Amino acid sequence: MQRIILDVDTGLDDAVALFLAAGLEEIKIEAVIATAGNVGLDKTLENTLNIMETTGLDCPVYAGSAAPLVRVPVEAGDFHGETGLDGPIFATRLRQEVQAQSGIDAMITLVTNNPQEITIVSVGPLTDLARALQREPAVASLAKEFVIMGGSFSSGNVTPEAEFNTYADPEAAKIVFSSGAKIALFSLDCTRTVTLSAERLEGFRAKSGRSNEVFVACMDTYTANYTKRRQGEPQMHDPLCVAYLIDPSKVSGAYHGVDVILEEGPSYGKTIKRDTSKNTFVAESIDIPWFWTLVERALAALP
Ligand code: RIB
Ligand code: CA
């Protein structure tokens, strides 16, 4: 059983990560923390609560950071829509309200009370994880592993050089990558290779269940926005982090040290490999057909 904290900026691919984590019996979600990123915290929190209620899972949802550590906030609504989760329509929620404790405190408490048991999966800007490390540096050794979606060692997707999650809070990313923690990193170099074809989406559309229905509505929006920007098929960034936890042998890569450029200019927020340390497993490829079997299994297991 993989016990995880899932830190999200729910958006459309974050929703797929949530469905995967909720629907796969190998995963136990101890906490979901919504942070500002794709859209503002008010919207990512609302989207996260709606997805969690759809799954029927009653795990605690916390509010994370409303803004990055230093820089002015940037958003990525152009791929996720005005709400950050354009497409599905949600009825008034029956439950799933936000916990009173802050997400950062919950993260520190959980890993402190369960040393080496809990994996922190972060698929948005790294602000929450950085703030937890600033408050309690031991989080780096108390957590079992950090599994992160972010960065690019080729071209960016929000600037020519930077990927959105690291660009949205580069100072936070630098703190996390230099924390000494055991890290698995899914950069664009890997996540760009996993896309949802129209044919595969039609296969999901033929299935039943509310979670499947919400997934399809999200992916219809995601597909339309990629098409509008002539970016091809929608890329499955965030759910790869959850899939990795099911069977790391399905992911190939290499160990590196990772750093983040903070100097103002065209490279601000760019990730680079610095092999002074080798604490980060940088994913290079994943067994794509296997990944999609996980998505099918998760959605079939959910209401
Ligand atoms: O660059 C991709 C990342 O930015 C994903 O986490 C997506 O949800 C957006 O936050
Ligand atoms: Ca995300």
Side-chain angles (χ1 to χ4, degrees), residues 152-153 173-174 176-183 185 254-261 270-282:
S152 173
F153 301 100
K174 190 179 186 74
V176 172
F177 288 125
S178 62
S179 66
K182 181 184 181 213
I183 298 173
L185 176 63
Y255 284 88
H256 297 277
V258 175
D259 197 0
V260 186
I261 294 177
K270 177 180 175 61
T271 46
I272 53 175
K273 291 170 182 171
R274 278 198 203 289
D275 286 351
T276 45
S277 74
K278 299 271 188 181
N279 68 312
T280 301
F281 174 75
V282 177

Side-chain angles (χ1 to χ4, degrees), residues 9 13-14 38 80 123 149 157 163-165 237-238:
D9 61 329
D13 61 324
D14 302 73
N38 284 315
H80 303 270
V123 294
M149 190 281 139
N157 62 355
E163 176 277 331
F164 175 77
N165 285 341
H237 304 296
D238 296 344

Side-chain angles (χ1 to χ4, degrees), residues 223-246:
T223 300
N225 287 340
Y226 265 79
T227 302
K228 204 182 300 178
R229 280 153 192 78
R230 294 185 174 75
Q231 303 259 328
E233 295 176 342
Q235 298 164 11
M236 295 293 114
H237 304 296
D238 296 344
L240 301 196
C241 292
V242 178
Y244 167 76
L245 294 175
I246 303 300

Side-chain angles (χ1 to χ4, degrees), residues 80-97:
H80 303 270
E82 194 271 329
T83 67
L85 203 77
D86 280 14
I89 305 297
F90 296 99
T92 305
R93 274 192 306 276
L94 303 176
R95 53 188 178 151
Q96 282 288 0
E97 287 321 308

Side-chain angles (χ1 to χ4, degrees), residues 5-11 13-14 33-41 44-45 48 63-77 80 104 107 120-133 146-151 157-158 163-177 185-186 237-238 241 260 268-269 271:
I5 294 169
L6 193 46
D7 195 284
V8 291
D9 61 329
T10 307
D13 61 324
D14 302 73
I33 305 171
T35 192
N38 284 315
V39 287
L41 177 59
T44 62
L45 205 44
T48 302
S65 304
L69 294 183
V70 176
R71 63 158 301 149
V72 293
V74 289
E75 297 187 355
H80 303 270
I104 285 86
M107 186 183 282
I120 298 174
V121 181
S122 186
V123 294
L126 289 165
T127 316
D128 293 342
L129 189 42
R131 287 173 60 196
L133 286 162
F146 298 165
V147 182
I148 294 167
M149 190 281 139
N157 62 355
V158 64
E163 176 277 331
F164 175 77
N165 285 341
T166 51
Y167 183 72
D169 198 339
E171 288 75 13
K174 190 179 186 74
I175 288 169
V176 172
F177 288 125
L185 176 63
F186 286 81
H237 304 296
D238 296 344
C241 292
V260 186
Y268 181 56
T271 46

